[in-house]
């Protein structure tokens, strides 16, 4: 099958959607398909290359507005692609690409599917202008893929179209985490380097508004543990100041960005992983699955997004109220104060991560969606 992916950016640009598109595209190539990716460059020039068997076309970026790159000739390239591929696969949100497809194909001649990664949450004014175009774009798609049942249920755009929605689990490369002897050995070194032998609470992610990092800090006085924070972002200084005000800064370890090797080791070193996100901009929380792969239970929040699906309450960890540091602390304490039950949660989390969120499982499911879309299109 010849597949064209239409997306905003592609690695080495860093991002969750970018990594997903790369992993899926390369795995589809390994399965015998031809895959081409159309995306914006992160500079004003055209580039074409083959990466991991995937042909990547990067169109010149003219400017970026509201986190949306305006890529030169995107519509024209999509029109050309529709004459050579069997199915188009869009990764929402990328309004420029969706506009381009709508205006290039008022009646599309090939099937197209959409992976709906997340609702547009923050750009509310822009969303109101975009709403009629988005509804039209989704209405015309053969099928829509979503990463969790919650996203289909709670999204105001997906719920009315639930009959054409298909839930498809993300597939992750987890081999460098699970049963990695080097990472496990490195984890012991990292634990020994901390000032005390207290349990370790780990957070990894961008230090931005929707991650709930202020809730994480506010939970610290209620938890007797070392808090390790991996990531960077605009809220770093505010976190440090808040920890100092609460008198817990000696237990807060802000490590900045970490290599994949060090992050894998920290997943093994941690007693619990915390994801206290406060907005549905956190559409899934892939880091939860990575922590699970190391056998580490997670405490996350009951957002109306895929976060509670990624971390099943009472099975792979605990889900707690959103924006509540006391509830977060209680969830963490339930794990670190009961090592035997924590081990059970960790074992269940690891088994689910490796069986349900594998790359081959994702490829099989996505391929089924492609075939169904082609049959529906006729």
């Amino acid at each position: 099958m010849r597949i064209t992916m239409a997306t905003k950016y592609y690695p080495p640009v860093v991002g969750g959607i970018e990594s997903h598109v790369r992993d899926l595209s390369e795995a589809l190539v390994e399965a015998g398909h031809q895959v081409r990716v159309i995306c914006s460059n992160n500079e004003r020039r055209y580039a074409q290359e083959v990466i991991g068997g995937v042909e990547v076309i990067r169109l010149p970026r003219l400017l970026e507005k509201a986190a949306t790159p305006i890529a030169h000739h995107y519509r024209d390239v999509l029109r050309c692609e529709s004459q050579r591929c069997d199915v188009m696969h869009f990764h929402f949100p990328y309004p420029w690409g969706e506009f381009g497809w709508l205006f290039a194909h008022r009646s599309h001649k090939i099937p197209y599917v959409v992976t709906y990664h997340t609702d547009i949450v923050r750009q509310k004014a822009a969303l109101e202008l975009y709403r009629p175009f988005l509804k039209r774009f989704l209405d015309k798609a053969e099928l829509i893929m979503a990463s969790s049942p919650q996203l289909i249920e709670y999204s105001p755009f997906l719920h009315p179209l639930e009959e054409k929605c298909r839930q498809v689990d993300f597939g992750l490369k987890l081999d460098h985490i699970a049963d990695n002897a080097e990472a496990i050995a490195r984890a012991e070194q990292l634990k020994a380097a901390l000032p005390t032998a207290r349990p370790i609470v780990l957070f990894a992610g961008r230090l931005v508004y929707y991650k709930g990092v202020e809730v994480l800090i506010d939970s610290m006085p209620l938890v007797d543990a070392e808090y390790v924070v991996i990531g960077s972002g605009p809220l770093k200084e505010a976190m440090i100041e808040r920890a100092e005000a609460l008198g817990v800064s000696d237990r807060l370890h802000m490590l900045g960005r970490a290599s994949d090797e060090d992050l894998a080791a920290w997943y093994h070193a941690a007693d619990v992983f915390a994801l206290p996100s406060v907005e549905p901009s956190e559409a899934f929380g892939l880091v939860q699955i990575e922590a699970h792969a190391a056998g580490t239970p997670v405490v996350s929040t009951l957002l109306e997004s895929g976060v509670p699906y990624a971390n099943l309450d009472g099975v792979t960890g605990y889900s707690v109220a959103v924006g509540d540091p006391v509830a977060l602390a209680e969830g963490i304490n339930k794990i670190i104060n009961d090592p035997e039950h924590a081990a059970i949660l960790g074992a269940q989390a690891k088994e689910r991560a490796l069986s349900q969120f594998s790359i081959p499982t994702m490829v099989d499911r996505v391929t089924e969606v492609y075939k169904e879309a082609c049959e529906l299109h006729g």
Side-chain angles (χ1 to χ4, degrees):
M1 186 175 288
R2 296 168 299 175
I3 303 147
T4 296
M5 301 280 183
T7 188
K8 183 163 61 172
Y9 288 120
Y10 193 80
V13 176
V14 176
I17 294 177
E18 289 77 12
S19 296
H20 167 73
V21 176
R22 177 200 59 206
D23 292 346
L24 174 58
S25 298
E26 292 184 355
L28 285 167
V29 168
E30 290 181 7
H33 302 283
Q34 297 178 23
V35 181
R36 181 179 287 175
V37 173
I38 310 299
C39 63
S40 173
N41 206 341
N42 57 1
E43 54 184 313
R44 195 165 184 162
R45 70 178 183 89
Y46 177 91
Q48 187 170 349
E49 57 190 325
V50 176
I51 308 173
V54 179
E55 186 176 358
V56 182
I57 296 175
R58 304 181 198 269
L59 301 176
R61 185 184 64 187
L62 303 179
L63 57 94
E64 184 168 307
K65 188 73 173 176
T68 299
I70 308 302
H72 197 40
H73 292 312
Y74 207 103
R75 180 181 64 181
D76 296 334
V77 172
L78 289 181
R79 183 185 290 114
C80 293
E81 284 300 303
S82 69
Q83 299 173 15
R84 62 160 295 279
C85 68
D86 299 309
V87 63
M88 293 285 300
H89 186 164
F90 289 86
H91 291 267
F92 175 87
Y94 182 34
W96 185 249
E98 293 132 26
F99 271 128
W101 180 252
L102 283 176
F103 287 104
H105 293 81
R106 297 184 185 276
S107 64
H108 59 289
K109 297 181 179 179
I110 62 167
Y112 75 93
V113 301
V114 180
T115 293
Y116 194 98
H117 289 272
T118 178
D119 285 323
I120 296 174
V121 176
R122 206 171 191 190
Q123 293 89 0
K124 290 183 171 60
L127 176 60
E128 287 309 305
L129 294 173
Y130 182 49
R131 183 182 298 274
F133 298 98
L134 173 55
K135 291 183 68 175
R136 182 180 170 198
F137 174 74
L138 295 175
D139 284 343
K140 288 181 173 294
E142 265 67 35
L143 294 171
I144 303 166
M145 289 178 269
S147 59
S148 69
Q150 286 86 347
L151 185 56
I152 298 171
E153 178 181 357
Y154 294 119
S155 168
F157 292 99
L158 294 192
H159 187 67
L161 301 172
E162 60 182 332
E163 288 187 1
K164 67 162 61 178
C165 291
R166 301 293 182 268
Q167 196 265 312
V168 178
D169 290 325
F170 286 123
L172 301 178
K173 295 180 179 178
L174 300 173
D175 291 346
H176 72 290
I177 299 173
D179 302 320
N180 183 332
E182 292 183 4
I184 294 170
R186 172 72 173 142
E188 294 304 315
Q189 297 174 356
L190 294 174
K191 288 193 287 187
L194 291 175
T196 73
R198 290 186 178 99
I200 297 171
V201 177
L202 177 65
F203 169 90
R206 296 172 60 209
L207 310 183
V208 293
Y209 78 101
Y210 67 84
K211 292 288 186 179
V213 290
E214 70 285 353
V215 180
L216 182 74
I217 300 301
D218 286 348
S219 75
M220 290 186 66
L222 305 174
V223 180
D224 186 22
E226 304 287 340
Y227 277 58
V228 174
V229 174
I230 295 174
S232 60
L235 296 182
K236 176 182 177 181
E237 295 305 320
M239 293 174 67
I240 294 173
E241 291 173 4
R242 182 64 178 160
E244 291 175 347
L246 293 173
V248 294
S249 58
D250 61 316
R251 296 191 286 113
L252 177 63
H253 310 280
M254 306 285 290
L255 304 186
R257 294 181 178 177
S259 66
D260 289 345
E261 292 76 16
D262 276 355
L263 181 56
W266 276 114
Y267 283 135
H268 284 281
D271 293 276
V272 57
F273 185 92
L275 188 71
S277 306
V278 293
E279 295 285 350
S281 300
E282 187 76 84
F284 193 84
L286 289 173
V287 287
Q288 299 181 100
I289 306 301
E290 294 179 346
H292 290 162
T296 299
V298 172
V299 177
S300 55
T301 51
L302 286 164
L303 285 168
E304 292 185 349
S305 74
V307 169
Y309 174 75
N311 181 44
L312 298 181
D313 185 45
V315 178
T316 63
Y318 295 112
S319 298
V320 301
V322 177
D324 187 339
V326 175
L328 180 66
E330 289 175 350
I332 293 171
N333 283 328
K334 283 172 70 175
I335 291 174
I336 64 177
N337 292 335
D338 189 349
E340 290 186 5
H341 188 59
I344 294 172
L345 292 174
Q348 293 172 167
K350 182 177 179 180
E351 192 280 330
R352 180 172 184 255
L354 297 184
S355 62
Q356 189 168 331
F357 296 94
S358 71
I359 298 283
T361 299
M362 174 180 66
V363 169
D364 289 345
R365 187 72 181 96
V366 170
T367 303
E368 290 174 4
V369 173
Y370 290 159
K371 291 178 180 178
E372 184 183 358
C374 291
E375 291 171 0
L376 289 170
H377 187 77

